[in-house]
Amino acid sequence: MKLSCVCFLLISFLSVTTYSQNKDVSNPARVSKKSLDTSKALQINYFNPRWNTNSTKIDLGMLILRDKNSGQIVRLELQENAPDSSMFEGVYVIKWANPEGLLPEVYSTQDLVAPKGQPLNIKTLIETKALQRKPYIVTKDDNNLPTISVFESRSDAEAALKKYNEQNIPDTKEQPVPTAAKSVLEAGKLANAVGEKRKLELDARKRETERQQIEAAEKEKAAQRLREQQVLSEEAKKKNKKDAQAFAEAAMDSYRVNQFKQAEEYFEKSVVLDPENKAYYYQYGVTLYRNEKYNQSLVYLKLADGKDFDVVERDFYLGLNHYKLKEYPRALAAFKKVEATKHDPLGPSASFYIGLVNFADLKYENAKEAFQRSLDTSNDPKLDERSEEYIEKIERLIYFEKNKAKKFIVGLSFGPQYDSNVLLVSEATSAAGAGASSEGSVRYNTGASLFYRPLYEKTYELGVKAKTDYVYTAETTLDDYDSWLTSATVPVVFKGVAFGKGLKAEFIPGVEKLYVGQDSGGAPNESLNSVAIDSLNTLVMSENWFTSVNLKYHDDTYTNAWGSNAKKWTFGLGNTFFLNKNKTQAGVFDLAYTTNPANADTSKYTKVDMSATYLTTWVWDLQVIAGLAVYTQSYALQTPTRDDTNITASVTLARPLNDWLKAMWNTAYISNTSTASSSTYKKYISGITLSGEYQF
């Protein structure tokens, strides 16, 4: 579907803000003190449960990044990667003109509170060491993107660094693995996956037994508390209920400021003091969840009863607990129950977690459908962004896995079309009646291709492609204009990151041969031989904007027209803008410049192409493509000079018939106006095409 997106945030310089320090943090740990290249994107992640203030939505957090080399400071907004995950991350392009590079120092604004006295700014707090640095390590992800992982303590950072180094020990030498050994290794991986799943199932059963024991014990304690309450005086009962309410209010105050351990103690007192109020179980269960006591939380949430809490929210927390415990089948059941209620905002969040569960279980199609449901029903832009990221990731995984094992791609196409002006007869000639009766004809287009792809990896591809296209003209008086084009290319594709943006770079050398009409013996008449080298580069500028920069070189040699031989160059720019969040509508805008320095002055020309195309989906899975293209072609060295302006308006309807076959109807109107009257013409083309592509 779409290329991998690398999102970035515009970084604004940190304005003077007043804070004071209230917590000391240990000194930072780093992989090295080597400066980072500021011309590349930088990824930052930070696991911080204190920023996770709402379990049902995606939260935001703020870090301060200071460059030790230059002293420059920026404020970075990090976004939680899923509701209640507590993992905050972001990708940034920091455009600092610093030849020494970026030597990061990381600070968290959460360690600051507003001062009572004279205001202090961030720069002063850092310089006086009133604000302590956060520990971090610098690594690289699969796309070679520098990643700063921030931690709460030096020991956590050192442990993470040790684990990273252990997992990234390079091989001292390459050792080819025989095919049979590879099969054994793959079988071993599968066995490990099955074993891990089995272990999770056994652990889940063990925890379920523990929950049953905790629940039975709590029910017995609750019954005992009720019996003790019954012998109390009315005044004592009222006092206990009042005290329970007071503890619950104090617990909520603690909860709101993320003091979850204190909140847990207060809610536990409420449960003990007022055994009749089962709503306290809900609040107690949520607090246990925030304190990562997931198994206990499940018990008390299940025991919760009454009208003082949202049952859908309770079920959502049940799903979160099971998810944290990796009890995915139970989590899936709970989230599906919440999703069915269409609760806002818990329904879309539940759909998102259904996607996460299926994604963890490698059920990519189910995961994609769930993320799409979340995208369709959510009103939270941050959740929408995460859903889109997962949909794109899944589509890349599905596409990659589907195509990796398939080395051959065969393509076939066939279709009739009517061309109203095969010979490009000028209006003046047509008006005079010369050849007017034979201007138009039905033409049959036939195409075939074979693509062999020996290398297909996530970051590069290599293949060999042979292609042929033949146009047969039904009108016998026009069969001298039948055309046959053959080509052979060797496409090389690289996929990665450049300038902080997702990049797909294609280098396509090849040869072409064109035949037009037949010779005296009826054989195809060779007309043109070309050597071509195309460089096609697509950058993902943002989630909804792709841009392309293309350079094409053609060395054209004509069989019987030496003066037309030329080494032709074309430079092109293109932009694609997606117009809705589902990416089913798009606008495409292209601009290109061509110079054709032919041998003969009369054949030399320059050309400027411009086009705008709108794509959308319609009824019955129809894909609609409407376009307007304009080019101007100038023959400055002809006498007199010649300038052509060509306008083409086209509409295409396409519909997939199955996984490998597609039907298309296309119609186009073309008007060419030239300062040379013999080159001024109009025509229309309309036809249908069946095209198929089969991979094996």
Side-chain angles (χ1 to χ4, degrees):
M1 172 197 121
K2 301 172 284 280
L3 296 173
S4 171
C5 290
V6 179
C7 302
F8 69 93
L9 297 175
L10 294 177
I11 308 302
S12 60
F13 284 97
L14 186 65
S15 58
V16 176
T17 314
T18 58
Y19 300 90
S20 71
Q21 174 69 17
N22 71 346
K23 185 174 181 181
D24 185 28
V25 182
S26 57
N27 291 330
R30 290 186 297 232
V31 170
S32 71
K33 293 185 178 181
K34 184 179 179 180
S35 296
L36 301 178
D37 185 356
T38 57
S39 67
K40 298 180 180 179
L42 177 66
Q43 180 171 274
I44 298 179
N45 59 58
Y46 184 20
F47 181 78
N48 187 353
R50 293 183 296 160
W51 283 352
N52 180 14
T53 59
N54 190 328
S55 299
T56 65
K57 293 184 178 181
I58 288 178
D59 293 306
L60 298 174
M62 196 75 68
L63 284 177
I64 296 168
L65 181 68
R66 178 181 182 269
D67 177 22
K68 186 175 181 180
N69 290 330
S70 66
Q72 292 173 295
I73 299 173
V74 293
R75 191 199 323 255
L76 306 177
E77 183 181 85
L78 279 71
Q79 184 172 288
E80 197 173 17
N81 62 14
D84 201 55
S85 70
S86 296
M87 177 57 78
F88 294 79
E89 56 189 32
V91 178
Y92 313 91
V93 177
I94 305 174
K95 294 297 184 181
W96 280 343
N98 185 3
E100 297 180 9
L102 171 66
L103 188 57
E105 294 178 349
V106 182
Y107 305 85
S108 172
T109 59
Q110 195 173 32
D111 296 325
L112 303 171
V113 295
K116 296 180 180 179
Q118 183 71 23
L120 297 174
N121 61 33
I122 292 294
K123 185 177 180 181
T124 301
L125 287 169
I126 293 175
E127 289 176 350
T128 60
K129 298 186 179 180
L131 182 60
Q132 297 296 313
R133 283 184 289 164
K134 288 290 183 185
Y136 68 83
I137 65 173
V138 179
T139 58
K140 289 187 177 181
D141 66 4
D142 294 338
N143 294 319
N144 210 33
L145 187 68
T147 301
I148 295 179
S149 299
V150 184
F151 298 89
E152 286 295 301
S153 68
R154 183 184 181 91
S155 59
D156 289 343
E158 290 174 341
L161 177 59
K162 181 179 179 181
K163 183 176 181 181
Y164 175 82
N165 289 334
E166 289 174 350
Q167 294 175 346
N168 291 274
I169 298 175
D171 294 332
T172 56
K173 60 179 181 179
E174 288 191 19
Q175 293 184 347
V177 181
T179 303
K182 286 185 178 180
S183 300
V184 172
L185 291 174
E186 292 300 321
K189 290 179 181 178
L190 180 61
N192 288 338
V194 173
E196 178 64 21
K197 188 173 183 179
R198 177 63 175 165
K199 182 178 182 299
L200 290 176
E201 291 174 353
L202 292 174
D203 290 343
R205 291 178 188 175
K206 181 180 178 181
R207 284 191 296 268
E208 178 62 28
T209 301
E210 292 174 355
R211 289 196 289 268
Q212 292 173 357
Q213 294 170 347
I214 296 171
E215 182 178 349
E218 179 56 32
K219 285 182 177 179
E220 178 58 33
K221 290 178 183 177
Q224 179 62 30
R225 289 194 289 266
L226 281 172
R227 289 192 292 269
E228 293 174 354
Q229 186 186 55
Q230 289 172 359
V231 301
L232 295 176
S233 64
E234 289 300 319
E235 184 177 347
K237 290 179 182 178
K238 289 180 180 179
K239 182 180 182 304
N240 282 352
K241 288 180 179 290
K242 184 178 180 180
D243 290 344
Q245 182 62 34
F247 276 118
E249 292 174 356
M252 285 305 302
D253 290 339
S254 298
Y255 187 94
R256 292 187 187 99
V257 294
N258 293 344
Q259 295 178 358
F260 300 124
K261 290 185 178 179
Q262 185 66 65
E264 178 187 335
E265 294 177 9
Y266 287 154
F267 278 132
E268 186 175 14
K269 292 180 184 294
S270 297
V271 168
V272 172
L273 288 169
D274 190 359
E276 292 180 348
N277 190 344
K278 297 297 178 63
Y280 289 141
Y281 279 134
Y282 168 72
Q283 297 167 326
Y284 185 42
V286 171
T287 309
L288 287 168
Y289 168 80
R290 297 309 299 263
N291 286 325
E292 301 182 10
K293 299 178 180 180
Y294 305 124
N295 224 31
Q296 289 175 265
S297 175
L298 284 166
V299 172
Y300 287 96
L301 289 172
K302 184 179 178 182
L303 291 172
D305 192 15
K307 300 180 180 179
D308 295 335
F309 64 90
D310 189 337
V311 176
V312 178
E313 189 170 295
R314 187 271 309 274
D315 291 341
F316 185 77
Y317 274 105
L318 288 172
L320 288 177
N321 276 299
H322 286 303
Y323 181 80
K324 294 289 187 179
L325 293 170
K326 296 185 178 180
E327 297 177 358
Y328 295 135
R330 291 180 173 89
L332 200 60
F335 288 131
K336 284 183 176 179
K337 186 176 179 182
V338 174
E339 183 186 47
T341 67
K342 302 186 184 301
H343 185 288
D344 185 15
L346 295 180
S349 293
S351 299
F352 185 87
Y353 269 98
I354 291 172
L356 289 180
V357 170
N358 282 296
F359 188 82
D361 205 21
L362 306 182
K363 297 177 180 178
Y364 295 135
E365 291 290 355
N366 292 343
K368 179 184 173 183
E369 292 173 2
F371 287 124
Q372 188 63 56
R373 291 196 301 272
S374 178
L375 187 63
D376 292 341
T377 57
S378 168
N379 294 314
D380 183 356
K382 297 189 292 293
L383 186 62
D384 290 349
E385 183 180 334
R386 290 299 177 184
S387 296
E388 288 178 334
E389 288 176 4
Y390 269 102
I391 289 171
E392 292 169 357
K393 183 186 294 185
I394 289 169
E395 289 183 337
R396 290 195 302 272
L397 287 169
I398 292 174
Y399 183 83
F400 177 76
E401 294 299 332
K402 181 179 179 180
N403 291 284
K404 182 175 175 61
K406 298 177 179 179
K407 302 293 186 182
F408 293 91
I409 302 174
V410 176
L412 294 172
S413 65
F414 174 78
Q417 70 173 21
Y418 181 76
D419 186 335
S420 69
N421 191 354
V422 176
L423 302 179
L424 305 182
V425 175
S426 69
E427 292 179 318
T429 304
S430 180
S437 62
S438 59
E439 292 174 12
S441 175
V442 174
R443 310 185 85 184
Y444 297 94
N445 299 302
T446 305
S449 64
L450 176 62
F451 183 28
Y452 172 59
R453 186 173 53 195
L455 295 177
Y456 185 78
E457 301 297 335
K458 290 183 179 180
T459 56
Y460 61 89
E461 302 173 25
L462 174 65
V464 179
K465 185 174 185 178
K467 192 173 186 300
T468 181
D469 292 284
Y470 184 74
V471 179
Y472 172 78
T473 307
E475 178 63 49
T476 56
T477 59
L478 300 175
D479 58 12
D480 280 346
Y481 295 90
D482 292 351
S483 64
W484 180 24
L485 177 66
T486 62
S487 65
T489 56
V490 184
V492 182
V493 181
F494 297 95
K495 293 164 284 186
V497 177
F499 312 109
K501 309 290 188 293
L503 170 68
K504 181 181 181 181
E506 301 177 72
F507 180 73
I508 310 174
V511 294
E512 295 179 355
K513 186 182 290 288
L514 175 66
Y515 300 87
V516 178
Q518 295 83 33
D519 60 20
S520 57
N525 186 38
E526 184 177 324
S527 176
L528 172 66
N529 289 281
S530 298
V531 175
I533 302 175
D534 295 348
S535 175
L536 313 178
N537 306 280
T538 300
L539 286 165
V540 182
M541 305 302 293
S542 71
E543 182 181 346
N544 294 311
W545 173 27
F546 295 176
T547 192
S548 60
V549 181
N550 305 320
L551 182 63
K552 300 181 179 181
Y553 169 76
H554 277 220
D555 187 350
D556 296 335
T557 302
Y558 289 84
T559 305
N560 297 310
W562 173 88
S564 296
N565 294 350
K567 301 182 187 302
K568 182 170 62 179
W569 292 87
T570 299
F571 176 73
L573 296 173
N575 288 280
T576 299
F577 299 95
F578 293 101
L579 306 177
N580 62 353
K581 67 180 184 180
N582 292 335
K583 293 182 172 57
T584 57
Q585 297 178 3
V588 182
F589 305 91
D590 293 305
L591 176 66
Y593 174 80
T594 300
T595 177
N596 187 71
N599 289 339
D601 288 346
T602 55
S603 297
K604 289 181 169 69
Y605 68 81
T606 58
K607 182 181 179 183
V608 176
D609 288 88
M610 296 173 287
S611 67
T613 307
Y614 174 71
L615 303 91
T616 187
T617 55
W618 197 28
V619 296
W620 304 319
D621 294 329
L622 280 174
Q623 299 166 344
V624 182
I625 306 170
L628 180 66
V630 179
Y631 74 75
T632 60
Q633 191 163 313
S634 177
Y635 296 83
L637 298 181
Q638 285 191 9
T639 304
T641 59
R642 171 186 160 190
D643 295 294
D644 290 7
T645 299
N646 185 288
I647 301 174
T648 300
S650 63
V651 176
T652 300
L653 300 180
R655 187 180 188 278
L657 303 179
N658 53 39
D659 290 341
W660 60 273
L661 185 63
K662 180 167 64 175
M664 291 183 293
W665 170 79
N666 172 263
T667 188
Y669 176 77
I670 303 168
S671 174
N672 192 82
T673 303
S674 176
T675 54
S677 60
S678 61
S679 296
T680 296
Y681 64 87
K682 294 179 181 178
K683 68 185 295 184
Y684 68 86
I685 299 172
S686 185
I688 58 174
T689 304
L690 283 176
S691 63
E693 184 177 274
Y694 182 72
Q695 302 183 20
F696 61 95

